Amino acid sequence: MAKRIYFDYNATTPLSEEVLAFYTDILKEYANASSLHEDGRRSAALIKKARAQVASLLNAKEAEDILFTSGGSESNNTVFNTMIALGEKRNNKFIVTSAIEHPCVLESAKKLQAFGFTVEFLPVDGTGLIDDTAYAAALEKKPLFVSIMTANNEIGTIQDIPALAARAHAAGALFHTDMVQACGKIPVDVAAWNVDYATVSAHKIYGPKGIGALYVKKGAPIEALIRGGHQEHGLRAGTYNAPAIAAFGLAAELALKNLAEYGRKTGELRRLLRDGLLERIPNIKINGHAERVLPNTLDVSFPGAEGEAILLHLDLAGFAASTGSACASGSLEPSHVLMATGMGAELAHGSIRFSLGMYSKKEDITALLDMLPPVIDKLRKMSTVAARTEVQN
């Protein structure tokens, strides 16, 4: 195929045409936003506008509740790092998260264990939703802090964040949610959901890489992860990347403006792909929740075929997809998300994530549905492990 077809929007998105044009031009604004001269003030004005644009996407009450960072991983690390001193101060070193979080959250949680914290990794059901009984039991222990992602990056399952946050607050805990995969795909509302912290990243909403944000509710404790300067009220040192921040702001504005159309379009394409795969390939499993799922995300298990082999054939045919989180792509272990849903390692190894986006087309779905069935059939016939696992959807 001369043309590459992209099914990996959850890993990263391209710059949108509008953001690319704006970003290319705004790179000329090189002045340090902390400088007092006119050039510096222009850069500072770009940042101020972007802060308001990102706040609007999240429905934050005040623009100053937005803290710019280098991306989702830094934002999440900043929140978890804050808990170290707070745990000592409040004499509470018990925190709660889920077993299906992004690796940057899981590793941050494990790091707290080195500081004497007890971490409870909540189980999920077969669809990826937080186990309610386990959550209730964890809250009875009065945790300091709870962190649960809004939507999973692999299977797309969407949690009931307003309810989870309310229950955490009733137990006296602070509540954080990683919104990186949810922003720009479904409506999010930090004010109505009453979360204390929320994370977002520009490169998931057609903005540049290397820039993100952390929402911090007024009054919520926060400690600097990167020190050494006055930027972001002393909470995130380092010279402002004003052009990237400005481009992030435009991406956030466009994401909010196009939210309904994005959901309609990608949801329609996802249904077309899902139904086509179920019709053309026998014995496959659609992972995640049937209804509470991101409109653009489809994770599929193909018993009897290895995920890496499927990806290789897809790549050679001109399709880009994923076996799960791009941040864990160097691992040979099966997806921790799928394993947490109760899936066996063999089936988890045969899973592919197709994630759609702004530039996905119906013709892309048709091309994939024509190409993939004979590949799965071929791989199953070659496999030393027969496709003996019968699955149900």
Side-chain angles (χ1 to χ4, degrees), residues 17-325:
E17 295 174 1
E18 298 94 331
V19 172
L20 177 60
F22 174 78
Y23 191 30
T24 302
D25 183 64
I26 210 69
L27 282 169
K28 300 171 187 174
E29 295 289 349
Y30 59 85
N32 192 322
S34 299
S35 299
L36 297 180
H37 47 63
E38 180 182 343
D39 307 81
R41 292 197 301 273
R42 278 202 309 272
S43 290
L46 291 171
I47 294 169
K48 181 178 180 180
K49 180 178 180 180
R51 202 183 303 279
Q53 290 167 315
V54 174
S56 292
L57 176 62
L58 306 185
N59 196 34
K61 290 183 178 179
E62 297 183 22
E64 293 305 310
D65 294 339
I66 302 300
L67 173 71
F68 286 117
T69 67
S70 66
S73 291
E74 184 190 327
S75 294
N76 289 336
N77 273 262
T78 299
V79 177
F80 276 80
N81 182 71
T82 295
M83 298 304 129
I84 297 174
L86 190 64
E88 291 284 354
K89 180 180 179 181
R90 296 188 179 179
N91 193 29
N92 185 346
K93 291 190 173 184
F94 175 55
I95 69 168
V96 176
T97 188
S98 85
I100 62 168
E101 299 295 313
H102 187 276
C104 69
V105 165
L106 295 177
E107 291 304 314
S108 294
K110 291 174 184 176
K111 180 64 178 178
L112 290 188
Q113 292 175 325
F115 289 89
F117 280 76
T118 299
V119 182
E120 184 154 341
F121 297 94
L122 296 171
V124 296
D125 66 17
T127 71
L129 289 176
I130 297 296
D131 183 282
D132 189 73
T133 301
Y135 190 50
L139 293 180
E140 287 181 0
K141 303 174 188 176
K142 303 297 181 183
L144 171 72
F145 173 68
V146 175
S147 178
I148 298 175
M149 68 192 337
T150 304
N152 186 262
N153 49 301
E154 292 190 32
I155 59 176
T157 297
I158 301 169
Q159 307 293 341
D160 187 353
I161 296 301
L164 294 170
R167 294 169 67 183
H169 288 147
L174 292 161
F175 190 89
H176 163 255
T177 185
D178 180 342
M179 289 182 172
V180 167
Q181 287 295 342
C183 280
K185 298 173 186 172
I186 61 172
V188 298
D189 192 327
V190 295
W193 296 2
N194 194 26
V195 299
D196 299 294
Y197 313 96
T199 300
V200 61
S201 182
H203 79 103
K204 306 294 189 179
I205 58 170
Y206 306 89
K209 296 174 180 62
I211 190 70
L214 173 64
Y215 162 78
V216 182
K217 186 171 70 175
K218 186 175 292 264
I222 191 70
E223 292 281 340
L225 180 68
I226 299 176
R227 302 175 183 275
H230 66 278
Q231 293 88 356
E232 300 299 86
H233 304 290
L235 292 172
R236 206 283 184 178
T239 303
Y240 283 113
N241 186 348
I245 292 173
F248 181 17
L250 177 59
E253 179 182 308
L254 293 171
L256 183 59
K257 176 183 176 182
N258 300 324
L259 186 61
E261 175 59 19
Y262 178 94
R264 185 203 63 78
K265 176 186 175 181
T266 59
E268 185 176 298
L269 292 176
R270 181 188 183 275
R271 286 191 294 274
L272 185 65
L273 177 57
R274 178 186 184 276
D275 293 347
L277 290 174
L278 287 170
E279 179 183 340
R280 300 192 189 195
I281 304 176
N283 194 34
I284 65 173
K285 184 179 186 301
I286 306 299
N287 301 313
H289 199 279
E291 298 173 352
R292 296 186 60 87
V293 65
L294 291 174
N296 80 313
T297 304
L298 185 70
D299 193 274
V300 188
S301 294
F302 300 90
E306 282 287 334
E308 289 77 7
I310 300 171
L311 278 188
L312 177 60
H313 281 77
L314 285 169
D315 190 36
L316 290 173
F319 297 89
S322 172
T323 52
S325 170

